[in-house]
Amino acid sequence: GIEIHDDFVAGMSGSAAASSESEPHHAEAPSYEVEEVKSLREAHVFNDFEKQVFSCFSSQPVTIFKKFKVTEQLKSIHSTKFDADFRGSWSKMFELDSTYFSKPFKKLDIGDVQLDCCIKVKQTATTVHEIFGELLRDDKDYQVINADVRDNEGLKGLVSGDCVAFEISESLSLVSQKMFQIERLLELHEQAMPGELRMKAVGVIFNGSRQEFEYVKARIKPDRWDGRCKPKILSLPFLLVHAERINVYLGIRSMQDKLEQIEDNVNQKFEAVNQKFEVVNENLQTLQAQVSLLVACSWTYSLASRYRRGLEWLDGVVRDAEAARRIQELA
């Protein structure tokens, strides 16, 4: 059920290609790779935590953007956009110590940029909550950090062709780095994948304890941004999602414990049933004894009745014999 485009798909439309002929600095045709899946759960992922995350998603068909190729043009845009002013203002948004704040900015080199979860929906109407399924089952599992766009259509509803992009991380210490990767995608996708991404919502999915998640999300302050250009992530609903990693061995142990508990409950019920059967058996034995007694009494009564009838017959014979003797004497 999975169709994978192994070769890079040219990202230029006809009009963009015509434009590139007249503008030499657009001569490099950006490239990217996509994967078509009938179910989001069937996506090819290799990291164990990512597999856990994707297993929680819905089963709807989507197009997954796997990666895009970095060109010299993208490198130039990257270095120009994310200058010292941007980097300084970005760091101010995080009230985190070094434990939870890693340096987010890395040099963009020629090559491929991997995308954890960048998808285009195919259904005519859906929502972010429907796409992410069990991951967003509880309001405590996520938070929209930019409250001013909380009611944005990206959360309320998506139509076929709309896109959402999320990074996935096993460590909350990478929160600033992962958020920046989303910002970089939003800045570069029009050049890397022209016309492909109609982005409606973005975010980061994190492993970690509930306590850590609450600590980190409370210390992300988008309103402290004071740079010249507002980050693109603040113009879309940006979700921080908590998805604590499941320990497979603990999961198996927990399942075994539940099975043992079920077995104990079944055994207890069988014991109760056996006790009831023992009571029923005792009652049957008592009833059998009573029936036997009744049968014996009935047989005894029948025998006595026959004996009485025999005596009555003998009395009659004696009386008849006595009467015959008297008649004979008189004669």
Side-chain angles (χ1 to χ4, degrees), residues 174-221:
L174 300 178
V175 58
S176 60
Q177 186 178 125
K178 289 295 184 178
M179 288 178 64
F180 177 73
Q181 290 176 10
I182 292 293
E183 176 68 18
R184 181 179 62 188
L185 173 63
L186 294 177
E187 184 63 40
L188 300 180
H189 77 80
E190 282 298 338
Q191 290 74 31
M193 298 172 279
E196 285 286 5
L197 303 185
R198 191 167 68 231
M199 205 66 72
K200 293 296 183 178
V202 292
V204 184
I205 300 169
F206 286 106
N207 172 42
S209 68
R210 174 71 66 181
Q211 183 178 4
E212 286 180 307
F213 181 71
E214 296 295 333
Y215 173 84
V216 169
K217 76 178 186 181
R219 285 160 178 78
I220 299 176
K221 308 288 185 179

Side-chain angles (χ1 to χ4, degrees), residues 4 47 115 119 141 157 177 190 209 213:
I4 303 176
N47 177 280
L115 305 173
I119 63 175
D141 292 332
Q177 186 178 125
E190 282 298 338
S209 68
F213 181 71

Side-chain angles (χ1 to χ4, degrees), residues 25-89:
H25 62 284
H26 288 158
E28 296 176 281
S31 303
Y32 53 94
E33 180 182 335
V34 300
E35 176 184 356
E36 302 288 348
V37 294
K38 294 181 179 179
S39 169
L40 189 52
R41 296 176 181 175
E42 297 177 0
H44 285 168
V45 293
F46 303 100
N47 177 280
D48 287 341
F49 180 60
E50 290 181 0
K51 288 180 181 179
Q52 175 189 320
V53 169
F54 272 81
S55 70
C56 296
F57 289 160
S58 70
S59 58
Q60 61 179 275
V62 296
T63 298
I64 302 178
F65 293 85
K66 306 290 287 185
K67 58 186 176 182
F68 64 87
K69 185 178 289 294
V70 175
T71 63
E72 289 293 346
Q73 179 193 1
L74 294 184
K75 282 186 63 177
S76 176
I77 295 172
H78 185 275
S79 60
T80 301
K81 172 66 178 181
F82 304 123
D83 56 11
D85 175 75
F86 183 95
R87 295 196 298 270
S89 296

